[in-house]
Amino acid sequence: MQVQFNAGSASSNGGILILLWLYFLAGPFILTQDLPVHIYSGKILGELIFSGQSPYSNWFELSPDFISNSFTQWAAVIPSWFISPQWIHRFFLLWMVTAGFRGMKAMLKTYSPGQENMAVLILPLLMPVLFLKGFSNFFFGIAFSLHAFSMIPELLKGKLYRPFILYSFLIVACHPLVLYFFIGISFCLIFLYVSPESKTELTLRIKGLAHLLPALVAGGVLSQNTQPLSWIQADATFLWEQLKTMQYWKWYLPHEQELYQVLLGMSAILVLLSFYYTRNSISWLFLGSAVGLMIVYFYAPSGLNENLYIHDRIIILMSICMVMGLAFAQLPSQIKILVRYLYLFAFIFLLWTRYDIQQKIADDFSEIKSAFSKIPEGSVVLPLVYNHQGNYAASAGVFLHATSLTTEKDLVFLDQYAAHTSYFPIRWKSGKDPYVFLGDTWEAQPPNPDLSHATELGVDYIVEVFPPEEYRAEDLVYSSKRVRLYQWP
C-alpha cells in the first residue's frame, strides 16, 4: 500500500509539471510588472562586465550593493546573449513556479514520505503576485529555501554538506526578508528534527548550525546598503481591509476574491484543527510561523522612499507557512484529501480562467513590439504607458515595464526603475537618472513627464503605449491602435 501511494504521488506530481511546462512555454505570453526590468538589468550587467563598447556604459554602472536582491538579474546575464528577452521571461516564470513546487515536494519527501502529493498546496499561492508584480528574487528565494530545508537531515550526519551552503548563498542574493526566514526556520529545524534511526546528538546539531554561518556573514556584509525603513506602524484598519478583501491576491477577475476567501478562510480554520490533532513538531513550526507572521504583518515597516511591498511579501510568506503546516499536519485523511483537491482545483481554475485574458495581453504585446523595428540600435527610448493595466488587470501594471522585453537591440529604456534604487545591482550614472530629470509622476497613469529636460537627457524616441487620441503628426514615425512612436525632438 505504501509503495502504491508513493507511485500515485509521483504520477500526479509529474502530470502537474507537464501541465506547467505546456502552460508557460506553449501558452500565451504572460507579462509581469517588474520581471521585465530585472531581465533587462541582466542584459545591462553582461554588457557592462564583458563589453567595453556597450551603449549602456555611458548610462549605467555597477551598484555598491550588487549581490543582495539580484539573483534574477545575474541569472539573466548569460541567457541574454543568445535568447530573446521574451523567452527568458517565459523560462524564468516556469522556473519560479516549478522550483517552488519541487521545493515543497522535496520537503515532504524528506520529513513526511508518502505525502508528496500535498505539494500542490503551494501552487495557488504562487499565482497572483508572481504573474503580475513579478517578485522574482523573492519567489526564487522561497523556492531555494524549501530545497535547503529538505537537506537539513544530511547536515545532521556531521559532514560538510556543500549543496546546503550553495543554496544559502543563492538565498543571500535573492531577498533579505527571505534570508531572515531561511535562517530562522533552518535554526529551528536543526534542533527539532529527530532522525528515524536515533536522536541526533547536540554536537551534530551544533555542526549543522555551522552551515548557516556563511549566509549569516554574507548577509551581514551585503545588507549595509539596503533601503532604510520607517518603523511607523501602518493603519491596522487599512491592513485588515486589504487582507479581508483579498487585495494581495485579486488581480485579474472579480471572482478571484471569492476563490481566495474560500481557500484561505478554510485553511485558517484547518490551522486551528491542526493544533488540536497534530503532534508533528515540523507542522507546529510552520503553523506557528504563519501565526507569527500574521502578527508581524500589522507591525511591519515600510520603505522611507518608496513602497517596498513588505506587507505583500509577509502575507505570501505567511500563506506558504500555513500550507506547509497543513501539509505536515496529522489531520484525518479525508480532510487532507479534500484540502489537496481544493487547492488543485483552485490552481487549475485560475490557469483556465486567465488563459483568454493572457491571450489578449499577448496579442497587445505583439502589436507593441512592432514599433521597435523602426528604432535604430543604441537609441535612447522614453516609454510612456497610458494604461498600465491594459483593461485586463485591476491591481497591477501588466504593461508598465513591458517595452524592455520587445526587442533584442541594445536600446536604453528610461523606465529602468531598478537603477534608481540603492538595492539592485546596477544604477544610473550621475546626471543620467530619468527619475530625476522627468519628475516624480512621469511613470504615473497617465504619465506626466517633464519633457523640457528630454533633450538634455538624450532622448531619441518616445513610445506611447495605449496612447491618447491626440498626437503630433509631424514627429510621428509609427502608429497603431496600441502604440505610437515619435522621434525626439
Side-chain angles (χ1 to χ4, degrees):
M1 178 64 72
Q2 183 69 30
V3 173
Q4 292 176 352
F5 187 78
N6 284 337
S9 299
S11 175
S12 172
N13 288 335
I16 291 170
L17 287 172
I18 292 172
L19 172 64
L20 292 173
W21 275 78
L22 290 173
Y23 193 84
F24 284 99
L25 298 185
F29 182 68
I30 298 169
L31 275 175
T32 65
Q33 179 171 306
D34 291 343
L35 183 54
V37 176
H38 301 329
I39 293 172
Y40 182 49
S41 295
K43 179 177 182 177
I44 296 170
L45 275 171
E47 295 283 349
L48 291 180
I49 294 171
F50 299 106
S51 175
Q53 302 301 318
S54 169
Y56 301 118
S57 59
N58 293 326
W59 291 84
F60 300 97
E61 62 187 4
L62 289 178
S63 168
D65 189 15
F66 62 91
I67 295 296
S68 181
N69 204 29
S70 66
F71 173 78
T72 307
Q73 293 90 320
W74 286 106
V77 169
I78 295 178
S80 294
W81 296 343
F82 54 87
I83 302 177
S84 73
Q86 298 99 303
W87 275 101
I88 297 174
H89 195 276
R90 280 184 180 269
F91 282 123
F92 276 15
L93 282 177
L94 174 64
W95 187 10
M96 277 187 279
V97 177
T98 55
F101 177 60
R102 292 174 68 88
M104 186 164 179
K105 179 184 172 184
M107 280 283 292
L108 288 162
K109 186 176 182 180
T110 298
Y111 298 106
S112 187
Q115 295 293 312
E116 293 93 326
N117 59 358
M118 295 298 287
V120 300
L121 269 63
I122 200 174
L123 290 174
L125 305 179
L126 298 177
M127 293 286 289
V129 178
L130 169 63
F131 278 6
L132 286 178
K133 286 186 178 174
F135 288 173
S136 54
N137 291 323
F138 186 74
F139 274 103
F140 274 124
I142 291 174
F144 296 152
S145 295
L146 297 179
H147 282 281
F149 295 154
S150 71
M151 299 174 181
I152 284 178
E154 292 295 323
L155 306 189
L156 299 179
K157 294 180 181 179
K159 299 179 181 179
L160 179 66
Y161 197 63
R162 292 180 179 84
F164 181 88
I165 295 176
L166 173 62
Y167 270 111
S168 73
F169 278 123
L170 292 177
I171 294 165
V172 169
C174 286
H175 195 274
L177 183 58
V178 179
L179 178 61
Y180 305 147
F181 170 75
F182 163 71
I183 295 292
I185 296 293
S186 295
F187 183 90
C188 295
L189 284 173
I190 286 170
F191 279 98
L192 288 174
Y193 177 73
V194 177
S195 168
E197 294 84 15
S198 62
K199 292 185 178 180
T200 304
E201 298 176 1
L202 179 60
T203 54
L204 293 179
R205 297 188 192 277
I206 293 173
K207 287 183 178 180
L209 287 178
H211 287 76
L212 295 173
L213 288 177
L216 279 170
V217 173
V221 171
L222 297 172
S223 64
Q224 296 177 5
N225 296 314
T226 55
Q227 185 80 357
L229 300 175
S230 169
W231 289 93
I232 299 174
Q233 184 179 355
D235 179 22
T237 303
F238 170 77
L239 292 175
W240 172 247
E241 192 65 23
Q242 291 286 101
L243 192 61
K244 185 175 66 174
T245 57
M246 298 289 118
Q247 294 304 309
Y248 298 114
W249 306 103
K250 181 184 71 174
W251 298 118
Y252 283 115
L253 302 168
H255 64 241
E256 291 177 352
Q257 175 179 345
E258 289 78 19
L259 176 67
Y260 278 102
Q261 282 175 332
V262 171
L263 204 64
L264 298 177
M266 188 200 73
S267 298
I269 295 171
L270 290 174
V271 167
L272 299 177
L273 286 176
S274 298
F275 280 119
Y276 175 78
Y277 279 105
T278 301
R279 298 297 177 266
N280 182 334
S281 59
I282 296 177
S283 176
W284 278 51
L285 169 62
F286 283 103
L287 293 174
S289 298
V291 173
L293 285 165
M294 176 56 70
I295 296 171
V296 170
Y297 167 74
F298 289 99
Y299 295 91
S302 58
L304 285 176
N305 299 322
E306 63 175 74
N307 184 359
L308 298 180
Y309 299 115
I310 290 178
H311 293 94
D312 306 55
R313 298 177 198 273
I314 289 174
I315 287 299
I316 293 167
L317 278 178
M318 181 276 295
S319 304
I320 289 175
C321 283
M322 180 174 66
V323 298
M324 291 292 292
L326 292 177
F328 286 110
Q330 296 166 325
L331 293 168
S333 59
Q334 296 89 341
I335 294 179
K336 297 199 79 168
I337 291 172
L338 174 65
V339 172
R340 178 179 182 269
Y341 280 108
L342 177 62
Y343 272 80
L344 182 59
F345 166 79
F347 176 66
I348 294 175
F349 180 74
L350 287 169
L351 292 180
W352 174 60
T353 56
R354 291 175 174 184
Y355 191 91
D356 289 341
I357 295 175
Q358 287 160 359
Q359 184 62 65
K360 294 176 183 177
I361 291 172
D363 292 341
D364 285 352
F365 177 72
S366 295
E367 185 176 329
I368 293 167
K369 280 176 58 181
S370 61
F372 288 84
S373 62
K374 312 293 182 182
I375 303 177
E377 192 92 11
S379 297
V380 179
V381 181
L382 173 60
L384 301 178
V385 183
Y386 284 83
N387 187 342
H388 298 172
Q389 286 77 21
N391 297 322
Y392 303 119
S395 302
V398 188
F399 291 91
L400 179 58
H401 299 120
T403 55
S404 60
L405 289 178
T406 54
T407 179
E408 297 176 53
K409 295 178 182 177
D410 288 340
L411 302 178
V412 177
F413 290 98
L414 296 181
D415 61 341
Q416 173 50 269
Y417 82 89
H420 180 62
T421 69
S422 62
Y423 47 89
F424 284 114
I426 62 171
R427 66 183 180 185
W428 294 99
K429 283 190 171 182
S430 177
K432 296 289 188 178
D433 190 340
Y435 292 83
V436 174
F437 280 90
L438 300 176
D440 295 334
T441 60
W442 84 266
E443 267 196 322
Q445 183 177 319
N448 185 27
D450 180 3
L451 292 179
S452 65
H453 293 287
T455 302
E456 181 184 356
L457 191 57
V459 173
D460 297 311
Y461 289 88
I462 294 178
V463 176
E464 293 182 339
V465 178
F466 298 101
E469 293 183 3
E470 308 81 19
Y471 65 96
R472 305 183 305 275
E474 65 274 12
D475 300 320
L476 191 63
V477 176
Y478 179 89
S479 180
S480 70
K481 185 177 180 181
R482 300 293 186 228
V483 62
R484 268 201 299 264
L485 174 65
Y486 298 95
Q487 190 166 8
W488 184 269

